[in-house]
Amino acid sequence: MASKPSIPKGTRDFSPTEVAKRQYIMQIIKSNFEKFGFQPIETPSFENSDTLMGKYGEEGDRLIFKILNSGDYLAKANATHLESKDSTKLTASISEKALRYDLTVPFARYVVQHQNDIEFPFKRYQIQPVWRADRPQKGRFREFFQCDADVVGSTSLWQEVELVQLYDSVFTTLGLNGVTIKINNRKILSGIAEVIGASDKLIDFTVALDKLDKIGEDGVKKEMIEKGITADAIEKVQPLFQFTGTISEKIEQLSQLLASSDEGMKGVAELRFICDNVAKLNLATAILDLDVTLARGLNYYTGAIFEVAAPKTVAMGSIGGGGRYDDLTGIFGLKNMSGVGISFGLDRIYLVVEELNLFPETVTVSTKALFINYGDTEALYAMQAIKDLRAAGIKVELYPDSAKMAKQFQHADRRNIPFAVIAGEKEIEANNYALKNLSTGEQVQVSFEELKAKLL
Amino acid sequence: MASKPSIPKGTRDFSPTEVAKRQYIMQIIKSNFEKFGFQPIETPSFENSDTLMGKYGEEGDRLIFKILNSGDYLAKANATHLESKDSTKLTASISEKALRYDLTVPFARYVVQHQNDIEFPFKRYQIQPVWRADRPQKGRFREFFQCDADVVGSTSLWQEVELVQLYDSVFTTLGLNGVTIKINNRKILSGIAEVIGASDKLIDFTVALDKLDKIGEDGVKKEMIEKGITADAIEKVQPLFQFTGTISEKIEQLSQLLASSDEGMKGVAELRFICDNVAKLNLATAILDLDVTLARGLNYYTGAIFEVAAPKTVAMGSIGGGGRYDDLTGIFGLKNMSGVGISFGLDRIYLVVEELNLFPETVTVSTKALFINYGDTEALYAMQAIKDLRAAGIKVELYPDSAKMAKQFQHADRRNIPFAVIAGEKEIEANNYALKNLSTGEQVQVSFEELKAKLL
């Protein structure tokens, strides 16, 4: 093979440093998931196509990676579609499996398939890669990890309270202070639609309203009218154009605005429960804020809607999101299974933590000391110490070859190894070791016990 | 959807208990890899097809999962192959990517692609799933994890010594005492072939010799003769039929047997270095044994060959294997890059650890205490304690609904949660908590500080 090998576009190799940093974030997410009582599950990388197809809309269907059937797949191919060269239609007869597109649909499938073995309410977390045949671009990949926590089998709003706390706990542990957890409620949105008398214009309405900061009240109203929302309707929700104050004050305004809508008032009550209890319990560093324009996955969520924005100093889209859905498992035939969940955007969190310089320096230190190799006799002496140090949990290495000193020290330097241990003839004689601090250059002769103590 | 959903054959869902047990094993492997100075890398789940195809033989090519190109893939399909309905040949024009089949070829690709950024010798580990379109059967899956550690860029035999120690350390940590690490050397096998004067019969020879225990010396010789190995040749390696004693004794016998073969004597010297130094450094619980019939991946390995057998009380194939290869990266155009590596068979190790009852009981305990929910006022009181306990790293949960007592206690029981915390009107009044041990039934009234101390 002449040309240098490469990887498919939209995919990534991760170097030791990158893996260490990613694992650092994932470990914090995982340990917080577990502190909050979530249990891990894992599902296969590929699912039967009929489990995935039709669950993400037409665009989603196109972006799902399909796996070609093994063996003589053309033997079973649909002759008509083959003849007419209809790629889309042919797929079903030459591909039975597809790579998972998210963790939510496989989770729903898991719950239905194992419903008799699951103890409900079921709090599960899942940290696994997903694949999408999206056009790759900056920050958008064809393979990326999702980190999801969901509870199914209870409608209790305490779970929403806990999910807000969970976000706060993870971002606080990461040192990522000042994230904004935006909250809204599908029922508030329905209430607004009812009040403006235009359910079909809801998305247009929220999209326009979301631009308030950018284009001002007049600009927003102009856009709304262009989209066919009447001046009369806009008049009815005028308070939303001066929607400021504390969360409690905002909720108060909503309760007046939506007084005529049963659904809207349910949303107000839910929001009030969640926000009041979060306030009573205090968040460590995150800010909870009500955002009535928040409408992610509108057709999917039925109650609370969450989205997390990075601290204002960092230009970055949402770093997490989630909400309540009342019929997750209905698509697989299990009705009345309410769920609520949140997701962490690993890649974006990584970029934010990197930009704010929040990775601890120790994350990229793996090996603590490199033993210099002076030949087989000395190496055996070194290996005896190495063995006992490793047994004590200390990460140490022998340079495998008795290469030139400079080369061995350079290796330690390039590997970011903080100490070198010199164990030559003199040290063997004295039954000790020379420990060299590679950043200060300081070198001391130490016994094995002292060596161990210094490297622990 | 009427029928209960399912997953593709050969794949698995992992329940919380299974994930916990798998993570327990993986964590031990990972922490030992790191203690020995290996650094993690990760590569994409799918590679360009030309990276993988042709690297595992014809059978391997068939077992690689191919990913169908996105969009109108038939537009670029080879018309001739499409017309002749030649599935195998058509694949190349409708599929450009394939799921990784092992971790070795992607690692070789990684080393070549990133050679300018890698500091050699490069000790990497990789724990990721691989996919094979094998016919599923007991213990053989279409998706499974490989756990590999390799060093590239040095021919030092100290690395073989360390890999033997690494096996010993992992299995000792798992409590899996008495595994046998079988060692052989490709050069010993070449020496034997040279001595019997039949290089092309080497595999037949080792396969027959391996049956010594089962069919006896006469049976083995009969099979060898049937395979075309001459009586004269067999006579020359007669000592291999009484090949017993310590490793040193076996090496001594080999050095006499292979005296006429330069290659064979090189193998003897390598074996001697590795075995002597392993002996001087002592293994904790594993047994190192020389097995001249060991020939896994014969065309691949060029020096040491390793295979690990579970303790004799368990009927299980090999639970690990590896060896030295002198030209791993040559397939991608980077010559003279010697490597040596070992692999752990996660699924089989899991089965052995399960059969020998070696999983610690704590592995499946996640949540430490369930707070009983008596309604919103009490729940808020509970949540205040829960928040502070979680901040201290203790895994606790609130039952989300104020359901009947019996149901909540049953939930704790089914979830294997060891304690329940009762915080009702009486406890709020007294500003304390009732902590109930769910296995003994014992219940005590405790302050928050006492509660924390007992759950830590």
Side-chain angles (χ1 to χ4, degrees):
Chain A
M1 192 172 296
S3 63
K4 211 168 164 183
S6 63
I7 51 177
K9 58 179 181 189
T11 69
R12 293 166 287 175
D13 280 330
F14 296 107
S15 70
T17 301
E18 289 163 332
V19 174
K21 288 179 175 178
R22 285 165 62 86
Q23 284 187 352
Y24 165 78
I25 296 173
M26 281 199 254
Q27 185 51 43
I28 285 176
I29 294 174
K30 180 171 144 36
S31 68
N32 274 286
F33 281 170
E34 292 182 355
K35 269 201 298 204
F36 278 74
F38 291 89
Q39 299 184 287
I41 68 161
E42 288 178 11
T43 63
S45 296
F46 47 73
E47 296 273 349
N48 291 321
S49 297
D50 58 8
T51 299
L52 303 185
M53 297 298 282
K55 307 303 190 296
Y56 307 99
E58 241 177 80
E59 171 73 356
D61 279 358
R62 255 200 308 279
L63 300 183
I64 290 172
F65 279 113
K66 286 94 183 172
I67 295 171
L68 195 57
N69 290 345
S70 299
D72 186 11
Y73 56 88
L74 286 175
K76 286 187 193 164
N78 181 300
T80 317
H81 303 149
L82 199 58
E83 200 118 319
S84 62
K85 291 207 171 186
D86 187 329
S87 294
T88 308
K89 285 186 179 157
L90 183 68
T91 302
S93 65
I94 64 171
S95 162
E96 285 165 3
K97 292 182 286 289
L99 290 175
R100 118 186 112 217
Y101 181 83
D102 71 359
L103 301 179
T104 306
V105 169
F107 173 52
R109 193 267 310 144
Y110 180 98
V111 168
V112 177
Q113 187 174 333
H114 303 284
Q115 53 185 287
N116 297 327
D117 305 319
I118 291 173
E119 170 62 19
F120 294 98
F122 181 42
K123 299 174 84 165
R124 90 84 172 79
Y125 76 86
Q126 203 170 344
I127 300 179
Q128 290 194 280
V130 302
W131 297 269
R132 296 183 183 180
D134 249 328
R135 211 162 49 82
Q137 55 187 66
K138 194 173 177 331
R140 188 198 283 168
F141 303 100
R142 290 186 155 187
E143 172 175 47
F144 58 97
F145 269 74
Q146 289 194 332
C147 313
D148 286 13
D150 293 78
V151 199
V152 288
S154 164
T155 55
S156 165
L157 294 171
W158 283 108
Q159 297 169 144
E160 276 83 340
V161 173
E162 288 201 286
L163 291 173
V164 171
Q165 291 183 315
L166 176 53
Y167 268 138
D168 179 48
S169 185
V170 166
F171 290 119
T172 300
T173 315
L174 283 169
L176 197 52
N177 298 346
V179 303
T180 301
I181 304 168
K182 296 188 250 177
I183 187 171
N184 194 13
N185 194 297
R186 176 67 173 92
K187 299 185 181 89
I188 297 285
L189 291 168
S190 301
I192 292 173
E194 223 177 288
V195 169
I196 62 175
S199 304
D200 59 321
K201 296 282 192 300
L202 184 57
I203 296 282
D204 292 331
F205 180 84
T206 57
V207 166
L209 188 59
D210 190 33
K211 296 178 186 164
L212 199 57
D213 281 351
K214 283 185 207 140
I215 60 176
E217 187 172 333
D218 290 344
V220 170
K221 286 184 175 170
K222 184 161 165 270
E223 180 172 325
M224 285 180 176
I225 285 171
E226 280 166 12
K227 293 286 182 182
I229 299 166
T230 65
D232 189 42
I234 294 169
E235 177 66 28
K236 284 187 186 144
V237 290
Q238 177 62 35
L240 293 180
F241 293 90
Q242 291 86 30
F243 197 61
T244 51
T246 65
I247 291 202
S248 306
E249 288 162 358
K250 285 184 180 176
I251 294 174
E252 210 39 60
Q253 290 178 61
L254 282 181
S255 84
Q256 290 168 21
L257 191 69
L258 305 177
S260 65
S261 159
D262 281 355
E263 186 75 355
M265 288 309 282
K266 267 192 216 162
V268 168
E270 289 185 7
L271 264 181
R272 189 176 278 141
F273 182 92
I274 298 164
C275 299
D276 278 4
N277 282 299
V278 166
K280 282 176 192 156
L281 291 162
N282 284 322
L283 295 180
T285 66
I287 302 145
L288 182 67
D289 192 25
L290 172 54
D291 178 355
V292 290
T293 68
L294 185 62
R296 46 186 290 146
L298 190 57
N299 297 319
Y300 186 70
Y301 294 122
T302 52
I305 304 171
F306 298 112
E307 191 169 279
V308 183
K312 289 190 181 68
T313 48
V314 189
M316 181 66 66
S318 76
I319 54 176
R324 174 160 304 263
Y325 37 83
D326 273 342
D327 191 25
L328 175 70
T329 57
I331 44 173
F332 297 115
L334 182 64
K335 299 286 176 198
N336 298 320
M337 183 64 78
S338 185
V340 60
I342 59 173
S343 187
F344 289 82
L346 177 65
D347 287 310
R348 287 188 175 176
I349 293 171
Y350 184 105
L351 292 173
V352 173
V353 172
E354 187 82 295
E355 184 171 334
L356 295 178
N357 228 338
L358 296 173
F359 283 114
E361 266 185 48
T362 49
V363 160
T364 52
V365 174
S366 46
T367 291
K368 205 68 183 288
L370 180 72
F371 279 69
I372 304 300
N373 188 331
Y374 290 90
D376 287 343
T377 309
E378 292 84 355
L380 180 62
Y381 178 74
M383 282 295 285
Q384 273 149 351
I386 286 170
K387 191 192 148 195
D388 293 336
L389 291 170
R390 283 175 180 163
I394 304 167
K395 298 170 185 168
V396 285
E397 282 180 64
L398 171 71
Y399 191 86
D401 305 281
S402 56
K404 285 194 183 137
M405 289 307 92
K407 190 175 177 187
Q408 298 193 43
F409 280 105
Q410 192 185 55
H411 182 75
D413 184 48
R414 287 186 180 162
R415 288 271 313 283
N416 200 18
I417 298 175
F419 293 96
V421 180
I422 295 153
E425 223 173 301
K426 198 180 82 184
E427 283 77 17
I428 297 178
E429 190 92 7
N431 193 29
N432 66 13
Y433 307 84
L435 178 67
K436 192 184 175 86
N437 181 319
L438 294 174
S439 54
T440 65
E442 188 201 3
Q443 183 171 324
V444 286
Q445 299 293 124
V446 290
S447 70
F448 175 77
E449 284 307 322
E450 289 164 337
L451 180 67
K452 187 164 126 181
K454 281 183 185 288
L455 294 177
L456 253 180
Chain B
M1 194 173 295
S3 64
K4 214 170 163 181
S6 64
I7 52 177
K9 58 180 180 185
T11 68
R12 293 166 287 176
D13 279 331
F14 295 107
S15 70
T17 302
E18 288 162 333
V19 173
K21 288 179 173 177
R22 284 164 62 88
Q23 285 188 351
Y24 166 78
I25 295 173
M26 282 199 256
Q27 184 51 42
I28 284 176
I29 294 174
K30 180 172 145 38
S31 67
N32 275 286
F33 282 170
E34 293 183 356
K35 269 201 299 204
F36 278 74
F38 291 89
Q39 299 184 287
I41 68 160
E42 289 179 11
T43 63
S45 296
F46 46 73
E47 295 272 350
N48 291 321
S49 296
D50 58 8
T51 298
L52 304 184
M53 297 299 280
K55 308 301 190 298
Y56 308 99
E58 240 178 78
E59 173 72 356
D61 279 357
R62 256 199 308 279
L63 300 184
I64 289 172
F65 279 113
K66 287 96 184 168
I67 295 172
L68 194 58
N69 290 345
S70 300
D72 187 9
Y73 55 89
L74 285 175
K76 286 188 194 166
N78 180 299
T80 317
H81 303 150
L82 199 56
E83 199 121 315
S84 62
K85 287 206 173 187
D86 188 329
S87 295
T88 308
K89 286 185 177 158
L90 183 68
T91 302
S93 64
I94 63 171
S95 161
E96 286 166 4
K97 293 182 286 289
L99 290 175
R100 118 187 113 217
Y101 181 83
D102 71 359
L103 302 179
T104 307
V105 169
F107 173 52
R109 193 266 311 144
Y110 180 98
V111 169
V112 177
Q113 187 174 335
H114 303 285
Q115 51 184 289
N116 297 328
D117 305 318
I118 292 173
E119 169 62 19
F120 294 99
F122 182 42
K123 301 174 81 164
R124 89 85 171 79
Y125 77 84
Q126 204 170 344
I127 301 179
Q128 291 193 281
V130 302
W131 297 268
R132 296 182 182 181
D134 248 328
R135 211 161 49 80
Q137 55 187 64
K138 196 177 175 323
R140 189 198 283 168
F141 303 100
R142 292 187 151 185
E143 172 175 47
F144 58 97
F145 269 75
Q146 289 194 333
C147 314
D148 286 14
D150 292 79
V151 199
V152 290
S154 165
T155 56
S156 165
L157 294 171
W158 282 108
Q159 295 169 145
E160 276 83 341
V161 173
E162 288 200 286
L163 291 174
V164 172
Q165 291 183 314
L166 177 53
Y167 268 139
D168 180 48
S169 185
V170 167
F171 291 119
T172 300
T173 315
L174 283 169
L176 198 53
N177 298 345
V179 302
T180 301
I181 304 167
K182 296 190 250 177
I183 186 171
N184 194 15
N185 194 297
R186 177 66 176 90
K187 300 184 179 92
I188 297 285
L189 291 169
S190 301
I192 292 173
E194 222 177 286
V195 168
I196 63 175
S199 303
D200 59 323
K201 296 283 193 297
L202 183 60
I203 294 283
D204 291 333
F205 179 86
T206 57
V207 167
L209 189 60
D210 190 34
K211 296 178 185 162
L212 199 58
D213 280 352
K214 282 187 204 140
I215 61 177
E217 186 172 334
D218 290 347
V220 170
K221 287 184 173 169
K222 186 160 165 270
E223 180 171 325
M224 286 179 175
I225 285 173
E226 282 167 10
K227 293 285 183 182
I229 299 166
T230 66
D232 189 41
I234 293 168
E235 178 66 25
K236 284 186 186 143
V237 291
Q238 179 61 35
L240 293 180
F241 293 91
Q242 291 84 34
F243 197 61
T244 52
T246 64
I247 289 202
S248 308
E249 287 162 0
K250 284 183 179 176
I251 293 174
E252 210 37 61
Q253 290 177 63
L254 281 182
S255 83
Q256 290 169 23
L257 190 69
L258 305 179
S260 65
S261 159
D262 283 356
E263 186 76 355
M265 290 309 283
K266 265 191 217 164
V268 168
E270 289 184 7
L271 264 181
R272 190 176 277 139
F273 182 91
I274 298 163
C275 298
D276 278 4
N277 282 301
V278 167
K280 281 176 192 155
L281 291 162
N282 286 321
L283 295 180
T285 65
I287 302 145
L288 183 66
D289 193 23
L290 172 54
D291 179 354
V292 290
T293 68
L294 185 63
R296 45 184 295 147
L298 189 57
N299 297 319
Y300 187 70
Y301 293 123
T302 53
I305 304 171
F306 298 111
E307 191 169 281
V308 183
K312 290 190 179 69
T313 48
V314 189
M316 181 67 66
S318 76
I319 54 175
R324 154 105 39 202
Y325 37 83
D326 274 341
D327 191 25
L328 176 70
T329 57
I331 42 172
F332 298 114
L334 182 64
K335 299 286 176 199
N336 300 319
M337 184 62 78
S338 186
V340 59
I342 57 174
S343 186
F344 289 81
L346 176 66
D347 287 310
R348 286 188 176 175
I349 293 171
Y350 184 104
L351 291 172
V352 173
V353 172
E354 186 83 294
E355 185 172 334
L356 296 176
N357 227 337
L358 296 173
F359 283 114
E361 265 186 51
T362 49
V363 161
T364 51
V365 174
S366 47
T367 291
K368 207 67 184 289
L370 181 73
F371 279 69
I372 303 301
N373 188 330
Y374 291 90
D376 287 341
T377 308
E378 292 85 356
L380 179 62
Y381 177 74
M383 282 296 285
Q384 271 148 351
I386 286 171
K387 191 194 148 196
D388 293 336
L389 291 170
R390 284 175 180 162
I394 304 168
K395 299 169 187 168
V396 285
E397 282 178 65
L398 170 72
Y399 191 87
D401 304 281
S402 57
K404 283 192 184 143
M405 288 305 94
K407 190 174 176 186
Q408 298 192 43
F409 279 104
Q410 191 186 57
H411 183 75
D413 184 48
R414 289 186 177 161
R415 288 271 313 281
N416 199 20
I417 298 175
F419 293 96
V421 180
I422 294 154
E425 219 175 306
K426 200 181 81 187
E427 282 77 18
I428 296 179
E429 187 92 7
N431 193 27
N432 67 12
Y433 306 85
L435 178 68
K436 190 184 178 87
N437 181 319
L438 294 175
S439 55
T440 66
E442 189 201 0
Q443 184 172 322
V444 287
Q445 299 292 125
V446 290
S447 70
F448 175 76
E449 285 307 323
E450 288 164 337
L451 180 67
K452 187 164 126 182
K454 281 180 185 287
L455 293 177
L456 254 180

